[in-house]
Amino acid sequence: MQLIAGIESELSARSIALTIQLVDELQLEAELELYRRWASERRVDGVFIVDLRVEDPRLDELVRLGLPAVVLAGSRGRHPLPTVWQNEADAVAGAVRYLAALGHRRIVRVGGAEGFVQTKNRTEAYLRTAGELGLAGTVVTTDFMAETGAHVTRQLLSDRQPPTAFIYESDILAVAGLGVAHEMGLHIPRDLSIIACDDSPFCQVVHPPISAITRDIPGLGAEACKRLLELIEHGQSADLELPHGHLTPRGTTGRAPAHLTSQPGARLRC
Amino acid sequence: MQLIAGIESELSARSIALTIQLVDELQLEAELELYRRWASERRVDGVFIVDLRVEDPRLDELVRLGLPAVVLAGSRGRHPLPTVWQNEADAVAGAVRYLAALGHRRIVRVGGAEGFVQTKNRTEAYLRTAGELGLAGTVVTTDFMAETGAHVTRQLLSDRQPPTAFIYESDILAVAGLGVAHEMGLHIPRDLSIIACDDSPFCQVVHPPISAITRDIPGLGAEACKRLLELIEHGQSADLELPHGHLTPRGTTGRAPAHLTSQPGARLRC
């Protein structure tokens, strides 16, 4: 909704309507069919593309159809369409480094679904940064559903050597993870640290409030909208990189449990 | 989003596009202007009206413009437009009775903003039911913002005689209330019960999961859509009452603290 609000902040002054079509994320063919119909009936003047796939047939099809399109993404990507993007890799790398600086060595990333560029970018940034820090990276993928996030958190926290920190793909996954931690009697952040890659009001009002990567989503929507209008009016538009998100530390990040940060010889628990 | 998904489940089979215009809830005049433009330019075939106000100038204006419109609401209301509705008063009354049966005597309703029909309906149902049960009803209104919900909860729980139960207008207000309860060291539901009038995945994954009034929102969207298509095609449509929501008890509702449910003579706390 923040993205829609950002787009409409630009459109409303010009009396242009935004049509929103929800498509099943697994049915790309139906989405392609929609673009073909929109293009042939001239029902829409241009489209925003979000949730980019690693192999995304929409990009070539939009170019073929000549339907003006702007991509909103977390990286530039190798495709011909104008893109408004915020470097997500840098934000994720910053979160991993922050947790490592707090003494965490077992940091698990609970990601979204494979096949999405966002998930891929964030996973690569996480693994690269963990590698640089000499940490073994662990990535669990989910279908973005809260229930799945709760389930994998429960499983991982039941391990003999449970993680001391989680980085969740979204706000709802992080809230689910915090719920499981409470359910299992853990004290946050003494026993476990949690970071959400997407912020929301929910992250801010649970207790403790969840440390999250904060980005200017309305700004992303507004800039993408300006680019699309430019593309429609002048036939071309340029890419734009917006400032990347940064970690807003709240109540779910703290130093790793002391017995886990000391040297191997001193690992006895008191 | 559940509502949009419900509407689009009906539209997509007929290749009809849904245009969504976010309007500032305080700027009704801008919304009226939009309808006038849409009607004169024949840019849309019909509209859905949500978030009905107690005094709502949109209804008469839509009738005047002859723009087909269907109202989605929690009560039938006295206006000429076809309405698809779920009786919210019954659901709220049920929640109050359930809390009373658990021994609660100090049940506070944290509602939405005055001026909205939904807030008015729910407040009336709450006060009427509390009256029938011999309870003093307390209603606090908010601007629907999470921060406000947290603030009023903090204030009320700091009272010398704090409430033993809260009924919140929305999922985000309830999550905020639960956050404050945890922040203040209360055990839920031993010390405090919480009910949300709107359910969401967030209610289900916090700990303990929040007891909430569950309604079929996609079904409401789909039925409203059928009615609007009927109205556009045949010039008329009938009202439809859908089954009302019901309380789904989860982990935030329990018996009132024992020392508060006994008779006046036995009120000494052990």
Side-chain angles (χ1 to χ4, degrees):
Chain A
M1 280 296 163
Q2 281 190 64
L3 184 66
I4 297 172
I7 291 173
E8 293 202 333
S9 70
E10 288 295 317
L11 289 180
S12 59
R14 306 169 189 230
S15 303
I16 299 173
L18 178 68
T19 292
I20 293 175
Q21 187 86 34
L22 294 183
V23 284
D24 187 324
E25 61 190 31
L26 300 174
Q27 298 195 320
L28 270 184
E29 188 44 49
E31 192 175 337
L32 292 175
E33 193 48 48
L34 190 70
Y35 295 139
R36 287 178 204 125
R37 206 172 61 231
W38 279 350
S40 72
E41 297 172 0
R42 299 182 169 278
R43 278 166 67 134
V44 303
D45 298 310
V47 298
F48 299 104
I49 299 293
V50 295
D51 294 338
L52 219 58
R53 312 305 196 284
V54 176
E55 298 290 330
D56 204 314
R58 297 178 297 176
L59 306 176
D60 284 345
E61 188 67 14
L62 286 165
V63 171
R64 195 185 69 79
L65 291 168
L67 190 59
V70 167
V71 173
L72 289 77
S75 63
R76 173 57 192 89
R78 287 184 196 172
H79 57 77
L81 298 179
T83 302
V84 180
W85 60 291
Q86 296 164 317
N87 188 327
E88 293 213 89
D90 287 357
V92 170
V96 177
R97 280 195 210 100
Y98 181 69
L99 288 172
L102 291 173
H104 293 275
R105 308 288 298 169
R106 290 203 297 272
I107 305 166
V108 169
R109 163 167 156 76
V110 178
E114 282 177 41
F116 284 89
V117 170
Q118 182 181 66
T119 298
K120 183 165 175 282
N121 284 344
R122 289 176 174 177
T123 293
E124 283 173 1
Y126 160 83
L127 288 175
R128 190 172 51 243
T129 315
E132 286 164 10
L133 296 163
L135 306 176
T138 306
V139 178
V140 187
T141 57
T142 70
D143 51 6
F144 297 104
M145 303 295 283
E147 239 173 74
T148 314
H151 173 67
V152 301
T153 304
R154 209 172 276 121
Q155 271 194 316
L156 286 159
L157 289 177
S158 305
D159 270 3
R160 207 167 53 87
Q161 285 206 316
T164 64
F166 282 99
I167 300 177
Y168 290 95
E169 188 80 294
S170 69
D171 58 339
I172 179 79
L173 289 176
V175 170
L178 179 65
V180 168
H182 282 150
E183 159 203 315
M184 294 177 72
L186 298 182
H187 182 278
I188 310 289
R190 190 192 61 202
D191 303 324
L192 183 71
S193 284
I194 287 173
I195 287 176
C197 286
D198 293 328
D199 201 2
S200 85
F202 284 97
C203 287
Q204 295 163 37
V205 296
V206 290
H207 183 77
I210 297 175
S211 304
I213 293 174
T214 311
R215 293 174 295 146
D216 179 10
I217 304 289
L220 177 68
E223 290 300 334
C225 190
K226 284 188 208 162
R227 289 294 182 285
L228 184 58
L229 293 172
E230 200 175 73
L231 188 61
I232 293 167
E233 284 162 32
H234 307 294
Q236 60 178 30
S237 182
D239 292 332
L240 176 69
E241 180 176 1
L242 294 172
H244 65 74
H246 59 272
L247 180 69
T248 302
R250 299 196 183 103
T252 58
T253 36
R255 291 208 64 78
H259 62 283
L260 295 175
T261 54
S262 47
Q263 294 308 304
R267 264 201 191 165
L268 281 176
R269 199 166 170 171
C270 49
Chain B
M1 280 296 164
Q2 282 189 64
L3 184 66
I4 297 171
I7 291 172
E8 294 204 334
S9 70
E10 288 295 317
L11 289 180
S12 59
R14 303 168 191 232
S15 303
I16 299 171
L18 178 69
T19 291
I20 293 176
Q21 188 86 34
L22 294 183
V23 284
D24 188 325
E25 60 190 34
L26 300 174
Q27 297 195 321
L28 271 183
E29 189 43 50
E31 191 175 339
L32 292 174
E33 194 47 46
L34 191 70
Y35 295 139
R36 287 178 205 123
R37 205 172 61 231
W38 280 350
S40 74
E41 297 174 0
R42 300 181 168 278
R43 277 166 70 131
V44 304
D45 298 308
V47 298
F48 299 103
I49 299 293
V50 296
D51 294 338
L52 220 57
R53 313 303 198 284
V54 177
E55 299 290 331
D56 204 315
R58 296 177 298 175
L59 305 176
D60 284 345
E61 188 67 14
L62 285 166
V63 171
R64 195 185 68 78
L65 291 169
L67 190 58
V70 167
V71 173
L72 289 77
S75 64
R76 173 56 192 88
R78 287 184 199 174
H79 57 77
L81 297 180
T83 302
V84 179
W85 60 291
Q86 296 164 318
N87 188 327
E88 295 213 87
D90 287 356
V92 170
V96 177
R97 282 197 208 98
Y98 181 70
L99 289 171
L102 291 174
H104 292 276
R105 308 288 299 167
R106 292 204 295 274
I107 305 166
V108 169
R109 164 166 156 77
V110 178
E114 281 177 41
F116 284 88
V117 170
Q118 181 182 67
T119 298
K120 184 166 174 282
N121 284 344
R122 289 176 174 177
T123 292
E124 283 173 2
Y126 160 82
L127 288 174
R128 189 170 54 245
T129 313
E132 285 164 10
L133 296 164
L135 307 176
T138 305
V139 178
V140 187
T141 57
T142 69
D143 52 4
F144 297 104
M145 301 296 282
E147 240 173 73
T148 315
H151 172 67
V152 302
T153 304
R154 209 173 277 121
Q155 271 193 316
L156 286 159
L157 289 178
S158 305
D159 269 4
R160 208 168 52 87
Q161 285 206 315
T164 65
F166 283 100
I167 300 177
Y168 290 95
E169 189 79 297
S170 69
D171 57 341
I172 179 81
L173 290 176
V175 170
L178 179 65
V180 169
H182 281 151
E183 160 202 314
M184 294 176 71
L186 298 181
H187 182 277
I188 309 291
R190 191 192 61 203
D191 303 325
L192 183 72
S193 284
I194 288 174
I195 287 175
C197 286
D198 293 328
D199 201 3
S200 84
F202 285 97
C203 287
Q204 296 164 36
V205 296
V206 291
H207 183 76
I210 296 175
S211 304
I213 294 174
T214 310
R215 293 173 297 146
D216 180 10
I217 304 289
L220 177 69
E223 290 300 334
C225 190
K226 285 187 206 161
R227 289 294 182 284
L228 184 58
L229 293 172
E230 201 175 72
L231 188 62
I232 293 167
E233 284 162 31
H234 306 296
Q236 59 178 28
S237 181
D239 291 332
L240 176 69
E241 180 177 1
L242 294 173
H244 65 74
H246 60 272
L247 180 69
T248 301
R250 299 196 183 104
T252 58
T253 36
R255 291 207 65 79
H259 62 282
L260 294 174
T261 54
S262 46
Q263 294 307 305
R267 265 202 188 166
L268 282 176
R269 198 165 171 171
C270 50

